[in-house]
């Protein structure tokens, strides 16, 4: 509590000292005080509300507690955008912490809308909110049920699983929310009758299925279903990716625990062997499930029908052209034949030119030989006459 200190008045016979220390003091200056500061504001508040110092101290303490409560509820002013503020169904309060593998950890923390998209920071915020709301110390005296502590243990277990990277991925692999959606995927019966050729219905039905399955892919980016106007190469790339889908999905989360209190190595080895076999079986079934989805999508895909029709029309158009060739191909062929004919004519001309030159040389050689023979004959005749 604030107290008022009364300063004693100066004695009547007091006078300023003539000592050097007193003479070194600065002269008295009159200054104007400005009404500002926390002390002045406290004075104004006491005056306006007609409060005593005791009442004012109590009011200050109440304000401090109120601000601390607001900060605690608001997580020190963090803008959490409503993370963890989802309503709690009555079934949540009945959860048994011993059956923690059966609980929906995202729902327990109020992250049902985010699920595998929830960031570590959002998980942290949601957990803090739930702890502030359901901590046994805070719930003491407010409820007469004994399951408050049990639900708090479920909150702690959900936080433990979702903040551990490997265990969270194991839970995401068997998230009960998405397991229910996997049971509700389209079937061949849904595309009979009026829906058989409904392009919009096809993409509306299958697009969310592949968006859901894409979260398990080891490779990124993951090609999604696309649209009706996609070219042939894009459609082929989509089915090639999904027929060779490389999934990180695992099923360790569903492993059976070793019996409590059992120290038998045989029991542990048997349980581990059985869990390993079950994981392999579930993995094989999941691969077959995805493969059947891709097969069904391919058989119903209107783009496949469109591509086949376009290829058929292209073949028919070729048949209508002469020789089954298009105008461009015919023109190219004519130009090639013309080029070959010109090259052949040029070759023949060169051969004829060479032949003429050889004939000319042979004729000149024959003339020279005849001339030489005549010269030799005249020479022989002259010698005989002499």
């Amino acid at each position: 509590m604030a107290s008022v200190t009364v300063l004693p008045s100066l004695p009547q016979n007091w006078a300023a000292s003539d000592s050097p220390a007193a003479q070194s003091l600065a002269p008295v200056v009159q200054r104007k005080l400005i009404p500002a500061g926390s002390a002045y504001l406290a004075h104004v508040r006491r005056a306006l509300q007609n409060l005593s110092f005791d009442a004012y101290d109590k009011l200050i303490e109440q304000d401090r507690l109120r601000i601390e409560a607001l900060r605690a509820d608001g997580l020190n002013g963090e803008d959490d955008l409503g993370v963890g503020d989802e309503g709690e169904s009555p079934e949540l309060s009945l959860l048994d912490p011993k059956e923690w593998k059966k609980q929906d950890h995202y729902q327990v923390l109020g992250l049902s809308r985010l699920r595998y998209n929830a960031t570590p920071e959002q998980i942290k915020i949601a957990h803090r909110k739930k702890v502030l709301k359901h901590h046994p110390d805070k719930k003491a005296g407010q409820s007469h049920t004994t399951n408050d502590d049990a639900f708090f243990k479920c909150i702690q277990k959900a936080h433990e699983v979702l903040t551990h990277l490997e265990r969270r991925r194991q839970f995401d692999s068997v998230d009960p929310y998405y397991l229910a959606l996997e049971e509700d995927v389209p079937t061949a019966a849904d595309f009979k009758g009026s829906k058989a050729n409904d392009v919009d219905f096809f993409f509306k039905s299958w697009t969310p299925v592949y968006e859901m399955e894409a979260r398990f892919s080891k490779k990124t980016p993951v090609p999604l279903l696309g649209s009706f106007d996609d070219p042939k190469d894009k459609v082929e790339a989509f089915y090639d990716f999904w027929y060779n889908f490389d999934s990180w999905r695992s099923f360790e989360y569903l492993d059976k625990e070793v019996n409590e209190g059992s120290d038998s190595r045989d029991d542990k080895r048997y349980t581990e062997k059985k869990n390993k076999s079950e994981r392999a079986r579930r993995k094989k079934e999941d691969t077959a499930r995805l493969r059947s989805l891709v097969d069904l999508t391919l058989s119903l895909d209107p783009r496949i029908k469109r591509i086949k029709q376009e290829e058929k029309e292209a073949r028919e158009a070729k048949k209508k052209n002469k020789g089954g060739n298009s105008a461009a191909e015919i023109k190219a062929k004519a130009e090639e034949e013309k080029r070959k004919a010109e090259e052949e004519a040029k070759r023949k001309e060169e051969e004829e030119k060479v032949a003429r030159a050889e004939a000319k040389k042979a004729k000149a050689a024959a003339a020279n030989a005849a001339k030489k023979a005549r010269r030799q004959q005249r020479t022989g005749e002259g010698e005989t006459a002499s």
Side-chain angles (χ1 to χ4, degrees), residues 311-378:
E311 293 176 345
K312 181 180 178 181
E313 292 175 355
R315 289 194 299 270
E316 291 178 351
K318 285 184 178 181
K319 290 180 181 179
K320 292 180 180 179
N321 296 323
K322 185 182 295 185
N325 298 323
S326 63
E329 291 174 340
I330 293 173
K331 183 179 179 180
K333 187 176 181 180
E335 291 178 352
E336 179 67 15
E337 291 176 353
K338 182 180 178 181
R339 183 184 63 78
K340 289 182 179 181
E342 291 176 352
E343 289 179 354
E344 182 67 18
K346 187 176 181 180
R347 185 182 63 79
K348 288 182 179 181
E349 185 179 353
E350 291 290 337
E351 289 177 353
E352 290 176 357
K353 186 176 180 181
V354 171
R356 287 196 298 269
E358 292 293 334
K360 187 176 180 181
K361 287 181 180 180
K363 185 177 179 180
N368 289 335
K371 187 176 180 180
K372 183 177 181 181
R374 288 195 297 270
R375 187 182 300 114
Q376 290 177 350
Q377 185 179 4
R378 286 196 297 269

Side-chain angles (χ1 to χ4, degrees), residues 127-338:
H127 174 251
R128 290 173 63 184
K129 284 188 175 183
K130 293 295 182 181
V131 168
L132 287 170
K133 184 177 180 181
H134 294 283
H135 196 282
D137 293 343
K138 190 170 184 179
K139 302 288 286 187
Q142 298 181 12
S143 175
H144 298 287
T145 63
T146 59
N147 208 50
D148 290 336
D149 291 354
F151 184 58
F152 181 75
K153 292 178 181 178
C154 293
I155 293 172
Q156 295 299 85
K157 196 64 182 182
H159 180 258
E160 177 187 335
V161 171
L162 297 182
T163 52
H164 190 283
L165 180 60
E166 184 178 355
R167 298 182 68 182
R168 182 183 180 185
R169 295 192 88 182
Q170 292 174 0
F171 175 73
D172 286 340
S173 296
V174 294
D175 188 333
Y177 174 79
Y178 289 106
L179 288 179
L181 292 180
E182 288 177 6
E183 298 294 329
D184 195 31
V185 295
T187 62
D190 297 329
F191 294 87
K192 292 182 179 180
S194 60
K195 300 295 185 181
N197 298 314
D198 192 333
V199 175
D200 293 336
F201 179 72
F202 172 84
F203 286 97
K204 184 178 179 181
S205 301
W206 287 109
T207 297
V209 173
Y210 285 96
E211 290 176 350
M212 178 178 64
E213 297 291 341
R215 73 189 192 277
F216 295 125
S217 177
K218 290 182 180 179
K219 300 177 182 178
T220 56
V222 180
L224 299 179
L225 189 59
S227 62
F228 179 74
D229 297 323
D230 288 341
K232 180 181 178 180
D233 57 345
K234 188 174 181 179
V235 176
E236 290 178 344
F238 168 80
Y239 285 106
D240 180 66
F241 181 90
W242 284 96
Y243 271 122
N244 298 281
F245 190 76
D246 191 7
S247 173
W248 56 259
R249 190 177 192 180
S250 62
F251 297 91
E252 290 90 347
Y253 192 82
L254 301 178
D255 285 354
K256 291 184 178 180
E257 302 293 335
V258 180
N259 295 330
E260 294 184 5
S262 175
D263 295 330
S264 173
R265 293 183 179 180
D266 292 338
D267 286 348
K268 292 180 179 179
R269 282 197 292 265
Y270 174 77
T271 303
E272 178 58 31
K273 182 178 180 181
K274 191 172 182 180
N275 286 334
K276 185 177 180 180
S277 175
E278 284 297 304
R279 290 197 296 267
R281 180 185 63 81
R282 291 188 178 103
K283 184 69 174 180
K284 184 177 180 180
E285 289 178 352
D286 184 65
T287 303
R289 177 192 63 83
L290 182 60
R291 181 63 181 252
S292 65
L293 287 179
V294 180
D295 287 340
L296 181 57
T297 307
L298 178 62
S299 66
L300 298 171
D301 197 336
R303 296 173 298 183
I304 303 300
K305 300 176 183 178
R306 188 208 74 206
I307 292 170
K308 289 182 178 180
Q309 182 64 27
E310 291 174 352
E311 293 176 345
K312 181 180 178 181
E313 292 175 355
R315 289 194 299 270
E316 291 178 351
K318 285 184 178 181
K319 290 180 181 179
K320 292 180 180 179
N321 296 323
K322 185 182 295 185
N325 298 323
S326 63
E329 291 174 340
I330 293 173
K331 183 179 179 180
K333 187 176 181 180
E335 291 178 352
E336 179 67 15
E337 291 176 353
K338 182 180 178 181

Side-chain angles (χ1 to χ4, degrees), residues 63-77:
D63 288 344
R64 185 185 67 80
L65 294 175
R66 179 176 59 84
I67 292 171
E68 287 184 356
L70 289 174
R71 285 180 176 176
D73 291 340
L75 299 176
N76 297 323

Side-chain angles (χ1 to χ4, degrees), residues 9-26:
S9 59
L10 294 172
Q12 293 181 357
N13 58 352
W14 182 86
S17 175
D18 294 334
S19 65
Q23 292 178 359
S24 65
L25 295 175

